[in-house]
Amino acid sequence: MVYLPNDVAVATQRKVVARRELFARVFTPEVMDELADFLQVKDTIFAFNGEMNPYSACQADTKMGVLRGIAWEAAHVDEARENLRKLEAADGEEVENA
């Protein structure tokens, strides 16, 4: 997508960078592994694991989704930094968001 950045876009991207940097710093692979163990989804691939209980499957799927979301945010910190750099350097020019 190509757009003209404004102050709101730059401020929002700064928040994205800050969040991803925090997640990358705090949620190390060791912490994520322990969280998965604590939430009892460490080796779960599919939500329906063993018993066919929709309620339990929904809980497991939600827990796995949260962990995967945090891991994705932490893994894409460099991309967020690059997007912020582009926005700050644009100075009224169109920017393409990757």
Side-chain angles (χ1 to χ4, degrees):
M1 174 174 22
V2 177
Y3 60 93
L4 293 172
N6 59 31
D7 292 341
V8 174
V10 173
T12 300
Q13 190 61 30
R14 284 186 180 134
K15 288 180 183 178
V16 170
V17 170
R19 180 183 67 239
R20 289 184 185 177
E21 287 176 342
L22 175 65
F23 282 9
R25 188 172 57 251
V26 173
F27 293 104
T28 64
E30 296 82 13
V31 169
M32 294 298 288
D33 188 56
E34 288 300 318
L35 272 174
D37 191 39
F38 176 74
L39 295 173
Q40 299 175 347
V41 294
K42 188 171 187 171
D43 296 320
T44 303
I45 297 171
F46 300 104
F48 281 107
N49 197 13
E51 62 182 88
M52 297 300 282
N53 180 333
Y55 181 73
S56 295
C58 183
Q59 285 182 324
D61 198 39
T62 300
K63 292 172 188 178
M64 290 185 308
V66 169
L67 291 177
R68 289 175 183 158
I70 291 170
W72 188 92
E73 288 278 334
H76 289 85
V77 67
D78 291 336
E79 177 184 312
R81 287 182 188 131
E82 178 61 18
N83 285 338
L84 177 59
R85 186 199 62 74
K86 288 178 186 177
L87 287 173
E88 291 175 333
D91 194 33
E93 298 176 17
E94 290 183 346
V95 175
E96 184 170 337
N97 189 10

